C-alpha cells in the first residue's frame, strides 16, 4: 500500500489508524478509560483517527499549506482519505502526506502529555524539513556501495564455554567526507 521509501515508523503510524488501533482519546474511552474525548488541540470534536489527521482545524490548516488542500469534506474515515491519497497523488505527495501524519501525531502527543503544541506554520516547516532530510538520507543510502559478504564473514556461534560479542559496522566514502569537515 505504501511506498517503501517511507520511514518504517511512519508506515507503522499510518497503519494504526487504518487498523483502528491508534490510541486516540475516543479509542481509549471506548476501551473504558474515563477520559475527555474532545480533541486537545481544537476542542471542537471527538478525537478519533480521522479527526486527528484530517478534520481537526490544525490538520486542515497544515494540509492546506502543503497544497494538498482541505480534503476533509470529501471523506468520512482515515481509510477513505488514504485511499484517495494513494490513488490520486504522486509518490512525492504520498510521502509528504505520510510525513504530515507523523508531524500531526507528534504535535497531538505534545499537547496531551506536556500541554504544549506547535503553531501551524511550525508544523508545516517540521513536515517539510522531515521530508527533505528523509529524501537526502535515502539518496545517500542509494549512493552507498554495499560490499558482498563472503562465507568467511558469516556469523558463527561462540565456542562452548565462551561468550561472543558481535560487532558490525560499515562506513561509506560519503560518511567519511561528512565527518571529516
Amino acid at each position: 500500500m505504501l511506498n517503501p521509501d517511507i520511514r518504517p515508523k511512519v508506515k507503522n503510524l499510518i497503519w494504526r489508524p487504518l487498523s483502528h488501533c491508534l490510541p486516540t482519546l475516543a479509542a481509549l474511552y471506548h476501551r473504558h478509560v474515563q477520559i475527555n474525548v474532545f480533541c486537545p488541540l481544537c476542542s471542537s470534536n471527538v478525537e478519533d483517527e480521522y479527526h486527528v489527521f484530517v478534520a481537526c482545524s490544525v490538520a486542515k490548516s497544515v494540509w492546506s499549506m502543503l497544497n494538498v488542500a482541505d480534503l476533509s469534506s470529501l471523506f468520512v474515515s482515515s481509510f477513505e482519505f488514504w485511499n484517495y491519497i494513494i490513488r490520486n497523488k504522486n509518490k512525492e505527495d504520498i510521502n509528504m502526506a505520510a510525513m504530515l501524519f507523523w508531524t500531526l501525531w507528534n504535535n497531538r502527543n505534545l499537547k496531551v502529555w506536556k500541554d504544549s503544541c506547535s503553531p501551524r506554520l511550525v508544523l508545516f516547516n517540521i513536515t517539510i524539513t522531515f521530508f527533505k532530510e528523509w529524501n537526502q538520507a535515502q539518496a545517500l543510502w542509494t549512493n552507498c556501495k554495499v560490499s558482498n559478504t563472503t562465507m568467511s564473514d558469516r556469523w558463527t556461534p561462540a565456542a562452548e564455554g565462551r561468550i561472543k560479542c558481535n560487532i558490525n559496522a560499515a562506513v561509506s566514502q560519503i560518511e567519511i567526507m561528512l565527518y571529516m569537515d
Side-chain angles (χ1 to χ4, degrees), residues 40-41 106-119 123:
L41 296 170
N106 283 330
N107 188 56
R108 175 264 187 204
N109 284 339
L110 188 63
K111 180 66 175 174
V112 168
W113 299 112
K114 296 187 178 181
D115 197 28
S116 174
C117 61
S118 299
L123 296 175

Side-chain angles (χ1 to χ4, degrees), residues 92-137:
E92 187 172 287
D93 286 344
I94 293 169
N95 289 351
M96 184 70 76
M99 299 303 180
L100 179 54
F101 259 54
W102 182 259
T103 303
L104 292 171
W105 185 247
N106 283 330
N107 188 56
R108 175 264 187 204
N109 284 339
L110 188 63
K111 180 66 175 174
V112 168
W113 299 112
K114 296 187 178 181
D115 197 28
S116 174
C117 61
S118 299
R120 295 159 194 210
L121 184 59
V122 171
L123 296 175
F124 170 78
N125 289 329
I126 289 169
T127 303
I128 297 294
T129 302
F130 191 35
F131 177 76
K132 286 179 181 178
E133 288 175 353
W134 178 249
N135 285 339
Q136 289 169 351

Side-chain angles (χ1 to χ4, degrees), residues 161-180:
R162 299 275 187 179
I163 296 174
K164 185 174 184 178
C165 177
N166 296 303
I167 300 173
N168 187 8
V171 178
S172 71
Q173 188 63 33
I174 294 170
E175 289 173 317
I176 292 171
M177 292 185 323
L178 288 174
Y179 293 112
M180 296 299 275

Side-chain angles (χ1 to χ4, degrees), residues 1 17-18 20 50 75-84:
M1 178 176 106
L18 299 179
H20 304 293
Y50 179 70
F75 311 102
V76 295
S77 71
S78 297
F79 180 81
E80 283 184 15
F81 178 74
W82 265 108
N83 194 29
Y84 171 84

